Amino acid sequence: MGNPKLFISYSWSSQDHEAWVIQLATDLRESGIDVVLDKWDLKEGHDAHAFMERMVSDPEIKKVALICDKTYVDKADGRSGGVGTETQIISPEIYRSQAQDKFVAIVKERDDEGKAYLPVYYRSRIYIDFSDPSLEAENFEKLIRWVYEQPLYKKPSLGQKPGFLSEEQRAVSLGTSSRQRRALDAIKSGRDNAEAVMIDYLTTLADELEKFRIDASIEPFDDEVIRNIEAFLPYRNEAIELFLSLALYRDSLETRTAIHRFFERIIPYLERPQNISSHREWDFDNFKFIVHELFLYALATLIRYERFESAAFLMANEYYVSGRSEYGKDAMVPFEVFHQYIKSLEHRNKRLELRRLSLRADLLEQRSKGSGIEFRYLMQADFILFMRDNIDRPNDQWHWWPETLLYIVRHSGPLEVFARSRSTSYFERAKILLGVESKAALAPLLEAFGAERQRLPRWEFTTLSPSGLLGFNEIATKP
């Protein structure tokens, strides 16, 4: 779009008002808008009526602004003076025009009851409010965006129907919704039973997750994995909503312990149940995705709202797995257990020739939309888990692969929590996330990454810079 033309219609109410209109027109011209204004464009000997008609007859004039104060509205409704003439030209155009984006009223004045002065023919339409000087800068931007047809809020493109609504998908009801609503109400209201109803919801969710177990005989199995995790989306969103409420309203030792115990309860879904004698490696891949995603969101939410002690609690405290399991009898396992390889997604990538670097990363990114937590916070949590893994257990059998950091090329500079850690006092709070006592404690690991003694994740030609994402050189350089 080139320089748009804008016609300004106004009344000669007073010298101050005229001066304001001229200043507005000047500001608009300085913003690249070719303003048509009588003070500039109507000269001696010109046809005043023809000048007024230009607002609807000139094809180059795409926008018309009506500066509405009491005098303008009185003249417009009474069809008097030049404004009355312009009204006779404008009102038929507004009533018959299919398009509704050529004319806009700019309200400069309100009556004694606070109602905007608007001509009768315009009263059902949306206006731009310049009656409050304190909001003039904000509304000037709104006017500019209207002229250039570049609104602040753009309608997103239409996506696909969610897979969990597909008629082909077998409906699964976990019976958790009413419990989740009771928990949210108790948390937000600060009720004494908040912990109890929260634990009831999380326990029910953990137990009922069994209903999402996939029949291993279904083929193609990777199709079923995708359908299954899509069907879980409403329940994932319920859990995220609870995590958000806890982070905002009820962060405590009791709540972080309850979240920890919830994740303990769902670890068994990651391995073969005791009543199944034989299985394939990918038979539980849906649970591997679901559990991993839930853990990422729990941590991302806590870090997003600076509940650093609770986030660190989930990383520092191991998880108890009772009875016979792949991890040993009555085993304690670290948080890395929540990330496990998903073979079926790799198989899908090859079977359908999708040629994606990581279907898992793609799914996490796509599913973050509408979750209540921006994807950048998932990447931040993933990076912290990766760093904590390398700090706590650099040579252990456990390994945390930061799936979402495939998309880190979209991010420049340090992640938010570390950008804020330029402040020494902030870093003193945030360092618990990495489990270090000082900035200097990070130096050996960063040196090992640089010398390739410690492995960095890589996706073809894409990798990450731990030092850059930490903003290491700037950490604790301010008070």
Side-chain angles (χ1 to χ4, degrees):
M1 186 176 183
N3 295 101
K5 267 193 172 181
L6 169 75
F7 188 100
I8 291 183
S9 173
Y10 71 105
S11 69
W12 297 354
S13 306
S14 66
Q15 287 186 348
D16 287 344
H17 182 66
E18 286 184 52
W20 183 88
V21 172
I22 292 171
Q23 185 59 56
L24 175 66
T26 302
D27 293 341
L28 290 170
R29 283 192 62 82
E30 290 176 356
S31 299
I33 298 169
D34 187 3
V35 175
V36 179
L37 185 70
D38 61 352
K39 292 290 186 184
W40 297 334
D41 298 294
L42 185 60
K43 308 296 184 184
E44 291 79 1
H46 286 185
D47 185 331
H49 193 275
F51 174 79
M52 297 174 192
E53 285 186 333
R54 285 185 63 192
M55 72 178 81
V56 296
S57 63
D58 187 341
E60 292 186 356
I61 295 178
K62 305 296 185 183
K63 302 289 182 181
V64 177
L66 319 173
I67 312 297
C68 299
D69 61 352
K70 184 179 186 303
T71 303
Y72 184 94
V73 171
D74 287 346
K75 290 181 177 180
D77 292 346
R79 299 296 195 269
S80 64
V83 171
T85 302
E86 288 183 356
T87 298
Q88 293 178 53
I89 297 169
I90 294 170
S91 54
E93 180 72 9
I94 285 182
Y95 287 136
R96 69 168 175 257
S97 176
Q98 294 294 324
Q100 297 189 17
D101 57 358
K102 181 170 182 175
F103 297 87
V104 73
I106 294 176
V107 171
K108 189 64 178 68
E109 191 177 3
R110 292 175 176 272
D111 64 18
D112 294 338
E113 296 179 356
K115 294 180 181 178
Y117 279 113
L118 289 167
V120 171
Y121 65 82
Y122 196 92
R123 286 179 186 169
S124 63
R125 292 176 172 243
I126 296 172
Y127 57 84
I128 299 177
D129 190 358
F130 274 71
S131 62
D132 184 348
S134 67
L135 299 176
E136 198 163 297
E138 175 184 336
N139 286 301
F140 181 74
E141 179 187 342
K142 188 180 294 185
L143 175 59
I144 292 287
R145 288 182 173 277
W146 174 75
V147 174
Y148 280 99
E149 297 184 354
Q150 293 187 12
L152 181 60
Y153 300 104
K154 295 183 180 180
K155 192 173 184 177
S157 57
L158 210 56
Q160 298 292 324
K161 178 181 177 181
F164 63 82
L165 298 177
S166 171
E167 293 179 358
E168 298 177 4
Q169 178 64 47
R170 292 177 296 280
V172 178
S173 175
L174 301 188
T176 55
S177 297
S178 60
R179 288 178 169 84
Q180 188 252 17
R181 288 194 297 271
R182 286 198 298 273
L184 291 181
D185 180 65
I187 291 165
K188 293 176 181 179
S189 302
R191 296 195 180 124
D192 292 340
N193 68 337
E195 279 85 6
V197 292
M198 172 199 62
I199 290 170
D200 177 53
Y201 161 70
L202 290 174
T203 301
T204 302
L205 177 58
D207 292 344
E208 293 293 290
L209 193 56
E210 176 63 31
K211 292 179 179 178
F212 274 82
R213 190 171 298 282
I214 296 176
D215 181 351
S217 66
I218 295 176
E219 295 293 345
F221 188 75
D222 58 282
D223 278 354
E224 185 64 14
V225 169
I226 295 296
R227 283 194 293 267
N228 186 276
I229 63 176
E230 287 183 346
F232 185 72
L233 197 59
Y235 301 106
R236 185 211 67 171
N237 291 343
E238 279 185 1
I240 292 172
E241 194 175 6
L242 181 86
F243 298 151
L244 285 167
S245 294
L246 290 174
L248 286 168
Y249 303 106
R250 196 94 175 190
D251 181 59
S252 66
L253 176 61
E254 289 75 18
T255 57
R256 71 187 65 145
T257 300
I259 295 173
H260 184 278
R261 298 299 185 265
F262 164 70
F263 283 107
E264 268 185 351
R265 291 180 70 90
I266 60 179
I267 289 175
Y269 290 109
L270 304 175
E271 60 176 13
R272 176 178 62 86
Q274 294 186 22
N275 63 337
I276 295 178
S277 57
S278 63
H279 69 284
R280 297 170 299 178
E281 181 183 354
W282 62 19
D283 283 354
F284 322 117
D285 277 4
N286 62 316
F287 288 134
K288 290 177 183 178
F289 185 93
I290 287 169
V291 171
H292 170 246
E293 187 181 41
L294 284 172
F295 188 72
L296 260 184
Y297 273 101
L299 200 73
T301 301
L302 293 170
I303 297 171
R304 163 70 179 86
Y305 291 102
E306 299 183 359
R307 306 304 188 181
F308 298 148
E309 288 189 13
S310 290
F313 186 91
L314 296 184
M315 292 184 283
N317 289 277
E318 293 189 324
Y319 296 81
Y320 178 69
V321 185
S322 63
R324 183 190 61 77
S325 75
E326 294 179 7
Y327 316 112
K329 186 176 181 180
D330 298 335
M332 296 297 294
V333 295
F335 69 80
E336 288 87 345
V337 72
F338 298 117
H339 177 276
Q340 297 194 17
Y341 173 61
I342 300 180
K343 183 178 180 180
S344 61
L345 294 184
E346 293 302 314
H347 171 75
R348 182 178 186 80
N349 202 7
K350 294 176 181 177
R351 180 175 72 84
L352 300 179
E353 298 182 353
L354 300 176
R355 299 181 181 180
R356 302 299 300 170
L357 293 178
S358 171
L359 275 185
R360 188 174 191 172
D362 292 346
L363 286 168
L364 288 167
E365 192 273 339
Q366 292 159 13
R367 288 161 62 90
S368 69
K369 298 175 176 64
S371 67
I373 289 289
E374 294 175 53
F375 187 65
R376 64 192 176 103
Y377 293 116
L378 281 189
M379 290 195 293
Q380 180 171 255
D382 224 357
F383 175 69
I384 290 170
L385 287 161
F386 168 74
M387 291 296 294
R388 186 70 187 246
D389 169 38
N390 279 276
I391 291 169
D392 290 353
R393 286 171 286 276
N395 302 310
D396 201 84
Q397 61 171 322
W398 303 100
H399 175 64
W400 186 272
W401 184 267
E403 301 286 349
T404 64
L405 296 190
L406 167 62
Y407 286 87
I408 203 63
V409 290
R410 299 180 181 178
H411 186 89
S412 60
L415 295 163
E416 182 177 335
V417 70
F418 301 113
R420 296 183 185 279
S421 289
R422 292 179 63 187
S423 162
T424 301
S425 59
Y426 192 94
F427 178 66
E428 287 301 309
R429 292 177 52 225
K431 68 184 182 182
I432 191 174
L433 294 172
L434 299 176
V436 296
E437 289 299 321
S438 66
K439 171 183 175 179
L442 296 169
L445 177 59
L446 296 179
E447 182 183 346
F449 282 135
E452 298 185 352
R453 295 193 304 272
Q454 199 72 15
R455 183 188 178 196
L456 277 175
R458 182 175 294 278
W459 301 268
E460 288 189 351
F461 305 108
T462 303
T463 188
L464 56 92
S465 167
S467 179
L469 295 176
L470 287 169
F472 179 73
N473 293 333
E474 296 297 316
I475 287 178
T477 56
K478 302 289 182 182

